[in-house]
Amino acid sequence: MVVSNNSCVPPKYFILNGIPGLERVHVWISLPLCTMYIISLVGNLGLVYLIHHEESLHHPMYFFLAMLSLVDLFTCTTTLPNALCIFWFNLKEINFNACLVQMFFVHGFTGVESGVLMLMALDRYVAICYPLRYATILTNPIIAKAGLVTFLRGALLMIPFPFLVKRLPFCRSNIISHTYCDHMSVVKLSCATIKVNVIYGLVVALLIGVFDICCISVSYTMILRAVVSLSSADARQKAFSTCTAHISAIIVTYVPAFFTFFTHRFGGHSIPSSLHIIVAYLYLLLPPTLNPIVYGVKTKQIRDNVIKLLQGVKSASTQDN
């Protein structure tokens, strides 16, 4: 059903139309998405379990990594099951209020993820620039408070979005060309001016994205200065190698995020909507899928503990047999 042109009341539900132009291959598109979702579930749950279970990983760097894994899990779970229902069972309807709730959680968790990446950069800065004071600066209470502040920042800044959308009149179609309720995709259906929504979106982007990027940039500038000043080449390589996994996480998170943000607001009709949606899914799915793999490969302590855990499981199963 499409909302009447004469009606300006909020629709009872929206129609999530999937990926426009690619309806015939929705099932095929769902296969890599489902695979990535399963990898992200297994990888991030495994990381959280490993960090909780192994006392040798009870350090600030790994606590922040556990936070990132939990946020990644929640981020992809807010959208992927819904998308798979669209691709597999053609279940496209979503209640208006449920759409606003999904919008809040999607943007809220992505905001928290950005904050956690910033905290991880500050963690690397303290570890490399103040190694002797690392344990006294980043104590467990400080880590817990930093995580709480990051979560509250993401939640409080995203709360206005649903209310800004709810005040808008919807006199046009109730069909959203997307697989989940993204803020800009929804407000573009309104027949009123969306200037306030766009301005607030830019403000949030400045307070979260730009602020976090600036903090990360400053942290890595100081890290680079400290690493370059080391006398030994081996020491420089060892110091900077502890940052490679985090740098990879920053790249896979921020590159598609900024593409999605700027093309939604300034790309107009020059970029196909199908490309918007695919990149938006890369933004939501790539970090949860790749982060456990990258940290597992690049971080020796995690790699050693995974091998140790697998050997323990194998020996236990051998004894049972």
PDB file of all heavy atoms in Angstrom, residues 201-215:
ATOM      1  N   GLY A 201      21.790  16.310  11.461  1.00  0.00           N
ATOM      2  CA  GLY A 201      22.657  15.219  11.027  1.00  0.00           C
ATOM      3  C   GLY A 201      24.088  15.661  10.855  1.00  0.00           C
ATOM      4  O   GLY A 201      25.028  14.952  11.221  1.00  0.00           O
ATOM      5  N   LEU A 202      24.280  16.876  10.308  1.00  0.00           N
ATOM      6  CA  LEU A 202      25.629  17.424  10.156  1.00  0.00           C
ATOM      7  C   LEU A 202      26.264  17.721  11.514  1.00  0.00           C
ATOM      8  O   LEU A 202      27.454  17.489  11.716  1.00  0.00           O
ATOM      9  CB  LEU A 202      25.574  18.698   9.308  1.00  0.00           C
ATOM     10  CG  LEU A 202      25.260  18.503   7.823  1.00  0.00           C
ATOM     11  CD1 LEU A 202      25.020  19.850   7.153  1.00  0.00           C
ATOM     12  CD2 LEU A 202      26.386  17.759   7.116  1.00  0.00           C
ATOM     13  N   VAL A 203      25.448  18.233  12.452  1.00  0.00           N
ATOM     14  CA  VAL A 203      25.953  18.519  13.797  1.00  0.00           C
ATOM     15  C   VAL A 203      26.430  17.238  14.475  1.00  0.00           C
ATOM     16  O   VAL A 203      27.513  17.191  15.073  1.00  0.00           O
ATOM     17  CB  VAL A 203      24.871  19.213  14.651  1.00  0.00           C
ATOM     18  CG1 VAL A 203      25.293  19.290  16.113  1.00  0.00           C
ATOM     19  CG2 VAL A 203      24.579  20.612  14.122  1.00  0.00           C
ATOM     20  N   VAL A 204      25.628  16.183  14.361  1.00  0.00           N
ATOM     21  CA  VAL A 204      26.003  14.896  14.953  1.00  0.00           C
ATOM     22  C   VAL A 204      27.273  14.350  14.297  1.00  0.00           C
ATOM     23  O   VAL A 204      28.160  13.812  14.971  1.00  0.00           O
ATOM     24  CB  VAL A 204      24.848  13.880  14.837  1.00  0.00           C
ATOM     25  CG1 VAL A 204      25.310  12.481  15.234  1.00  0.00           C
ATOM     26  CG2 VAL A 204      23.677  14.303  15.708  1.00  0.00           C
ATOM     27  N   ALA A 205      27.362  14.501  12.976  1.00  0.00           N
ATOM     28  CA  ALA A 205      28.564  14.050  12.270  1.00  0.00           C
ATOM     29  C   ALA A 205      29.804  14.788  12.762  1.00  0.00           C
ATOM     30  O   ALA A 205      30.877  14.194  12.895  1.00  0.00           O
ATOM     31  CB  ALA A 205      28.387  14.251  10.765  1.00  0.00           C
ATOM     32  N   LEU A 206      29.657  16.085  13.057  1.00  0.00           N
ATOM     33  CA  LEU A 206      30.780  16.855  13.586  1.00  0.00           C
ATOM     34  C   LEU A 206      31.138  16.419  14.999  1.00  0.00           C
ATOM     35  O   LEU A 206      32.317  16.249  15.322  1.00  0.00           O
ATOM     36  CB  LEU A 206      30.441  18.350  13.579  1.00  0.00           C
ATOM     37  CG  LEU A 206      30.405  19.042  12.207  1.00  0.00           C
ATOM     38  CD1 LEU A 206      29.861  20.459  12.349  1.00  0.00           C
ATOM     39  CD2 LEU A 206      31.795  19.069  11.594  1.00  0.00           C
ATOM     40  N   LEU A 207      30.112  16.220  15.849  1.00  0.00           N
ATOM     41  CA  LEU A 207      30.347  15.893  17.247  1.00  0.00           C
ATOM     42  C   LEU A 207      30.872  14.471  17.442  1.00  0.00           C
ATOM     43  O   LEU A 207      31.532  14.183  18.445  1.00  0.00           O
ATOM     44  CB  LEU A 207      29.059  16.078  18.057  1.00  0.00           C
ATOM     45  CG  LEU A 207      28.553  17.523  18.189  1.00  0.00           C
ATOM     46  CD1 LEU A 207      27.215  17.551  18.933  1.00  0.00           C
ATOM     47  CD2 LEU A 207      29.582  18.385  18.916  1.00  0.00           C
ATOM     48  N   ILE A 208      30.578  13.601  16.502  1.00  0.00           N
ATOM     49  CA  ILE A 208      31.038  12.215  16.629  1.00  0.00           C
ATOM     50  C   ILE A 208      32.152  11.925  15.622  1.00  0.00           C
ATOM     51  O   ILE A 208      33.313  11.728  15.989  1.00  0.00           O
ATOM     52  CB  ILE A 208      29.873  11.216  16.460  1.00  0.00           C
ATOM     53  CG1 ILE A 208      28.889  11.326  17.628  1.00  0.00           C
ATOM     54  CG2 ILE A 208      30.407   9.785  16.374  1.00  0.00           C
ATOM     55  CD1 ILE A 208      27.739  10.356  17.571  1.00  0.00           C
ATOM     56  N   GLY A 209      31.791  11.899  14.331  1.00  0.00           N
ATOM     57  CA  GLY A 209      32.764  11.494  13.319  1.00  0.00           C
ATOM     58  C   GLY A 209      33.984  12.380  13.237  1.00  0.00           C
ATOM     59  O   GLY A 209      35.124  11.904  13.343  1.00  0.00           O
ATOM     60  N   VAL A 210      33.768  13.688  13.059  1.00  0.00           N
ATOM     61  CA  VAL A 210      34.902  14.606  12.894  1.00  0.00           C
ATOM     62  C   VAL A 210      35.716  14.698  14.180  1.00  0.00           C
ATOM     63  O   VAL A 210      36.959  14.687  14.146  1.00  0.00           O
ATOM     64  CB  VAL A 210      34.399  15.996  12.463  1.00  0.00           C
ATOM     65  CG1 VAL A 210      35.560  16.988  12.401  1.00  0.00           C
ATOM     66  CG2 VAL A 210      33.703  15.919  11.110  1.00  0.00           C
ATOM     67  N   PHE A 211      35.038  14.772  15.330  1.00  0.00           N
ATOM     68  CA  PHE A 211      35.751  14.838  16.612  1.00  0.00           C
ATOM     69  C   PHE A 211      36.609  13.596  16.824  1.00  0.00           C
ATOM     70  O   PHE A 211      37.785  13.695  17.210  1.00  0.00           O
ATOM     71  CB  PHE A 211      34.751  14.986  17.758  1.00  0.00           C
ATOM     72  CG  PHE A 211      35.379  14.961  19.125  1.00  0.00           C
ATOM     73  CD1 PHE A 211      36.005  16.094  19.638  1.00  0.00           C
ATOM     74  CD2 PHE A 211      35.355  13.806  19.901  1.00  0.00           C
ATOM     75  CE1 PHE A 211      36.600  16.075  20.895  1.00  0.00           C
ATOM     76  CE2 PHE A 211      35.937  13.770  21.160  1.00  0.00           C
ATOM     77  CZ  PHE A 211      36.563  14.915  21.660  1.00  0.00           C
ATOM     78  N   ASP A 212      36.033  12.417  16.563  1.00  0.00           N
ATOM     79  CA  ASP A 212      36.780  11.167  16.761  1.00  0.00           C
ATOM     80  C   ASP A 212      37.958  11.063  15.794  1.00  0.00           C
ATOM     81  O   ASP A 212      39.052  10.633  16.179  1.00  0.00           O
ATOM     82  CB  ASP A 212      35.849   9.966  16.592  1.00  0.00           C
ATOM     83  CG  ASP A 212      34.814   9.875  17.702  1.00  0.00           C
ATOM     84  OD1 ASP A 212      34.957  10.600  18.698  1.00  0.00           O
ATOM     85  OD2 ASP A 212      33.852   9.089  17.560  1.00  0.00           O
ATOM     86  N   ILE A 213      37.730  11.448  14.538  1.00  0.00           N
ATOM     87  CA  ILE A 213      38.812  11.406  13.555  1.00  0.00           C
ATOM     88  C   ILE A 213      39.946  12.339  13.967  1.00  0.00           C
ATOM     89  O   ILE A 213      41.137  11.996  13.831  1.00  0.00           O
ATOM     90  CB  ILE A 213      38.282  11.783  12.160  1.00  0.00           C
ATOM     91  CG1 ILE A 213      37.499  10.623  11.551  1.00  0.00           C
ATOM     92  CG2 ILE A 213      39.415  12.177  11.231  1.00  0.00           C
ATOM     93  CD1 ILE A 213      38.344   9.448  11.111  1.00  0.00           C
ATOM     94  N   CYS A 214      39.612  13.514  14.477  1.00  0.00           N
ATOM     95  CA  CYS A 214      40.642  14.463  14.927  1.00  0.00           C
ATOM     96  C   CYS A 214      41.445  13.871  16.089  1.00  0.00           C
ATOM     97  O   CYS A 214      42.686  13.967  16.109  1.00  0.00           O
ATOM     98  CB  CYS A 214      40.007  15.786  15.342  1.00  0.00           C
ATOM     99  SG  CYS A 214      39.394  16.776  13.961  1.00  0.00           S
ATOM    100  N   CYS A 215      40.742  13.256  17.060  1.00  0.00           N
ATOM    101  CA  CYS A 215      41.440  12.639  18.198  1.00  0.00           C
ATOM    102  C   CYS A 215      42.341  11.498  17.738  1.00  0.00           C
ATOM    103  O   CYS A 215      43.474  11.352  18.218  1.00  0.00           O
ATOM    104  CB  CYS A 215      40.424  12.135  19.218  1.00  0.00           C
ATOM    105  SG  CYS A 215      39.558  13.438  20.113  1.00  0.00           S
TER     106      CYS A 215
END
